[in-house]
Amino acid sequence: MTFTPHGKHLVSGDWVSGDGTFRSEPATGPAHTFAVGTVALVDRACRAAEDAFWTYGYSTRQERADFLNAIADEIEARGAAITEIGTQETGLPAARLEGERGRTTGQLRLFASHILKGEYLDRRTDEALPDRQPLPRPELRMVQRPIGPVAVFGASNFPLAFSTAGGDTAAALAAGCPVVVKGHSAHPGTGEIVAEAIDAARQKCGLHPGVFSLIQGGKRDVGTALVQHPLIKAVGFTGSLAGGRALFDLCAQRPEPIPFFGELGSVNPMFLLPQALAARGEAIGKGWAGSLTMGAGQFCTNPGIAVVPNGPDGDRFVASARTALEEVGPQVMLTDGIASAYHQGRQRFAGRNAVEALILNDEEGRTVRPNLFETSADQYLQDHGLGEEVFGPLGLVVRIDNDDEMVTLARGFEGQLTATIHMDGGDAALAQRLMPVLERKAGRVLFNGFPTGVEVADAMVHGGPYPASTNFGATSVGTLSIRRFLRPVCFQNMPAELVEGDLGAS
C-alpha cells in the first residue's frame, strides 16, 4: 500500500489547506508539499477542541477506551503505508518503525485498559459526621477530572511513539481532553497518515470532530499561538532544551499560566563500580557502544557519559568500547538540522584542551559516525559545557581516582532522565552511597543495564529534575502520564441523585 500525502491540515474533522506551503526533506524517496500552519488555524482548532470538551470531557471511560482502541485498530490497518512513508522521511529502518508502531498501538490499548479500571481517578470519600464535636464534618468526595484542551508538539526522533498519536496525545485523550497537535516538519507525511487513522476512529465512535486536530509546519508564531491560546490548558512537548525552555516561558507568561510538560534532554550517566568493572568491564564497554549508537544515538535516554575508575580495568573497558564503536558504520540522522547540531557538538568537544579525542570522525552531512572523548572528573566539574547533551552517537568517558570522587561527581550532575549503576555484590557499599544522590538526579535509576528502550508500563517514569524535564513530578511514559491532564475536584454534600459516573463507587 503506497501512501501519497495530500499535504493538508486536519482541523475539527475537515482537511484544509492554506496559502503557504513547505516541502518535506526525506532521507530517501520523493519530497512532498504540505500546507503551512497559521495562527488562524490554531485559533479554529482550539475553539473546536473547547467545544468538543463539553461532550468528550464528560464521556464515559468505556467510550474513551473504545476510542483509544479504535485509533490503534486504524493505525494497524495502515501499518505498511506508515512504515513506507516513515522510513522515507526519517531514514529509520523498517524494523525500527514497525517496532515503534507496535509500541504506539500497545500504549493506546494499555491506556484504554487502565482507565476502565478506574484506579487512576484516585477517588476518595469521607463520610459525613453530623454528630462530631465541636463541629460536624460534611460528606466529601474527591475525584480526578480532565482539565480541558491540550496542545501536543510532535517529536523529531519518534515519528510515531512521541508524535501525532504518541504518549502525550494518548494520555490526554484517555484523561478526557481534546488534543491539538503541532506536527513536526521532519515527518509531516507520517503525521498526516496517523491523523487520518485518528479521525477515522473518531468517526467510527461518533465523537465531536474537535476532539483532535493536526496543524502542520508553520513558523515560530504558530507554536507561540498554540501555547498561548486561552483555551489550551496544558502542553506536552518532547524536544530540545532551547526550544522547550522557550515554550515553557511562554506558558508561564500567559495571563493564565498553564503547566508545560516538557521532556528536554539528558546525558544519562552510567557509573561503573570497581568490582563490576574488574569482572566484566569489556562486556559492559561493548554493550555501551551498542546503546550509544542505537538509532544513530537519537534517543533521549542515550547514555552519553560513562564514569570509569582509573587503572587497568578502566583501560580495558575504554578499549572495548572504542573497538566496538570503530566497527559501527555510517548512520543516517533524522534531519539535516539534527546532523548539523551533532557535528557542532563534536567540534565543541574536540576543541577543548582538557578533553582527549579517542575517536574523532570529521564527516559532514546527514550521515554520521560515532565519536568518543575522555576527560577527568575535575575537568568535568569545572566545565559546564561537558554536561550538555550532544544528540547523536557521541560518548564521553569521565575518569575518577576513587570512590569519594565518584560520589562527588554524581552530585555535580544536573537533572537526568536516567542514571545507571553497573555493580557486582562487592560494590554494594558504594552503590548505597550513590543511591541517595542518583534518586535526586534522575527519574529512573537502572542497575546492570542500558537505558535505551523505555518500557510502557504502570511503574515507568520518563522524566526527571530540570533540565531533563520541566515538571519533576510527572512522567511522559506509562499510565501515570495520564495524571498530567487531570486535576482533583472535591464535591461537598453532593445529593445522592447526582452521584453517578466517575463519582460513583465503581
Side-chain angles (χ1 to χ4, degrees):
M1 176 182 178
T2 298
F3 172 72
T4 301
H6 50 64
K8 297 180 179 180
H9 313 281
L10 175 64
V11 180
S12 189
D14 296 326
W15 291 100
V16 298
S17 57
D19 295 332
T21 61
F22 71 97
R23 294 280 285 176
S24 62
E25 299 178 352
T28 61
H32 300 284
T33 300
F34 294 86
V36 175
T38 64
V39 173
L41 284 172
V42 168
D43 180 63
R44 178 177 166 185
C46 292
R47 290 181 183 278
E50 173 68 12
D51 193 37
F53 182 70
W54 293 109
T55 52
Y56 189 71
Y58 300 89
S59 59
T60 66
R61 283 175 277 136
Q62 185 65 61
E63 288 170 331
R64 296 198 299 278
D66 290 344
F67 183 34
L68 295 173
N69 283 321
I71 294 172
D73 291 342
E74 294 293 339
I75 290 174
E76 288 171 349
R78 294 163 174 77
I82 289 173
T83 298
E84 181 184 45
I85 189 71
T87 54
Q88 289 176 356
E89 290 186 323
T90 66
L92 294 171
R96 156 68 194 275
L97 265 295
E98 289 164 1
E100 190 180 332
R101 188 178 73 245
R103 172 197 169 112
T104 303
T105 56
Q107 184 169 242
L108 288 160
R109 297 191 192 284
L110 172 65
F111 286 6
S113 174
H114 182 74
I115 63 174
L116 287 177
K117 298 174 185 176
E119 297 171 357
Y120 78 104
L121 295 168
D122 194 19
R123 288 172 290 199
R124 306 180 186 198
T125 301
D126 291 308
E127 301 290 341
L129 298 176
D131 299 325
R132 190 183 68 174
Q133 296 297 327
L135 293 172
R137 184 179 76 185
E139 181 195 66
L140 301 171
R141 294 175 178 267
M142 189 273 283
V143 67
Q144 300 285 339
R145 298 297 301 146
I147 59 175
V150 170
V152 171
F153 285 74
S156 64
N157 60 331
F158 279 89
L160 299 174
F162 282 89
S163 290
T164 310
D168 289 340
T169 298
L173 293 176
C177 299
V179 174
V180 179
V181 171
K182 169 68 168 61
H184 200 288
S185 57
H187 41 75
T190 309
E192 181 184 304
I193 191 172
V194 173
E196 285 187 353
I198 297 173
D199 196 53
R202 176 198 64 78
Q203 295 179 56
K204 183 184 296 183
C205 296
L207 300 176
H208 190 292
V211 75
F212 175 84
S213 292
L214 169 70
I215 296 175
Q216 300 273 31
K219 297 181 180 179
R220 185 172 297 178
D221 62 335
V222 175
T224 298
L226 184 55
V227 301
Q228 292 197 314
H229 197 285
L231 297 176
I232 292 295
K233 299 304 179 184
V235 178
F237 173 89
T238 298
S240 69
L241 174 59
R245 182 54 196 254
L247 293 175
F248 172 84
D249 291 343
L250 289 173
C251 288
Q253 293 163 7
R254 289 172 37 136
E256 176 201 357
I258 59 173
F260 178 84
F261 299 105
E263 191 268 281
L264 306 183
S266 182
V267 294
N268 306 296
M270 301 192 320
F271 296 82
L272 280 71
L273 277 53
Q275 294 297 317
L277 187 63
R280 47 196 171 85
E282 293 181 1
I284 297 172
K286 184 176 181 180
W288 181 44
S291 182
L292 193 66
T293 58
M294 182 185 299
Q298 298 168 113
F299 289 90
C300 44
T301 53
N302 193 34
I305 292 180
V307 180
V308 184
N310 279 312
D313 293 334
D315 294 342
R316 282 190 288 272
F317 163 82
V318 173
S320 174
R322 182 175 182 174
T323 298
L325 289 171
E326 288 174 336
E327 294 174 353
V328 175
Q331 297 174 286
V332 178
M333 300 202 84
L334 291 160
T335 69
D336 292 334
I338 290 174
S340 177
Y342 174 72
H343 298 318
Q344 292 172 14
R346 177 199 65 215
Q347 290 302 113
R348 176 164 52 85
F349 273 70
R352 282 171 159 78
N353 293 330
V355 176
E356 179 185 358
L358 303 180
I359 300 176
L360 185 61
N361 287 302
D362 60 357
E363 75 287 332
E364 298 294 341
R366 195 159 165 176
T367 298
V368 303
R369 296 184 65 187
N371 290 274
L372 183 64
F373 300 90
E374 183 175 305
T375 192
S376 67
D378 284 343
Q379 291 296 329
Y380 181 88
L381 291 173
Q382 292 173 23
D383 188 347
H384 177 78
L386 295 176
E388 296 177 2
E389 180 187 29
V390 177
F391 197 60
L394 184 148
L396 176 66
V397 176
V398 181
R399 300 297 287 259
I400 54 103
D401 289 324
N402 51 57
D403 293 355
D404 289 342
E405 193 169 45
M406 181 176 281
V407 175
T408 298
L409 181 63
R411 289 175 176 169
F413 279 103
E414 294 184 309
Q416 306 291 329
L417 294 172
T418 74
T420 300
I421 296 175
H422 289 277
M423 62 173 289
D424 280 356
D427 295 314
L430 178 54
Q432 287 173 340
R433 292 181 63 191
L434 286 170
M435 280 283 291
V437 181
L438 298 186
E439 74 173 33
R440 293 187 66 186
K441 298 290 182 179
R444 177 165 56 116
V445 180
L446 297 83
F447 297 88
N448 298 326
F450 300 96
T452 41
V454 182
E455 186 69 30
V456 181
D458 290 330
M460 177 52 64
V461 172
H462 190 62
Y466 185 85
S469 62
T470 56
N471 191 310
F472 61 80
T475 174
S476 62
V477 176
T479 54
L480 187 61
S481 67
I482 299 171
R483 291 288 289 271
R484 296 175 296 169
F485 307 117
L486 300 165
R487 66 179 183 86
V489 179
C490 177
F491 298 88
Q492 183 170 323
N493 288 333
M494 175 175 272
E497 56 267 33
L498 298 181
V499 179
E500 57 184 14
D502 287 344
L503 284 165
S506 61

